[in-house]
Amino acid sequence: MTAVSTLLIVVGLFLVGGVISFVRQQMPKSLVVLLAVGAALCLAAGVLRLEVWK
């Protein structure tokens, strides 16, 4: 694992925690969806940057 892929995965997991927290606080759905999209993109970018795909 490279440092960049590790960082992207950690940031993505942090944002997933934010999504869960925002849902529990009943924040607006558009904000939750925006945060969820950001989390999914970070996680996808981190997984795709792993060395196992080469």
Side-chain angles (χ1 to χ4, degrees):
M1 288 179 71
T2 64
V4 176
S5 64
T6 304
L7 181 66
L8 284 169
I9 291 172
V10 168
V11 169
L13 291 175
F14 177 76
L15 291 176
V16 167
V19 169
I20 294 169
S21 174
F22 279 14
V23 168
R24 287 185 180 169
Q25 294 177 30
Q26 297 177 347
M27 298 293 270
K29 295 288 183 192
S30 59
L31 183 63
V32 173
V33 168
L34 183 65
L35 194 59
V37 167
L41 288 175
C42 280
L43 286 173
V47 169
L48 289 175
R49 286 189 56 92
L50 290 175
E51 298 282 331
V52 297
W53 306 114
K54 293 183 179 180

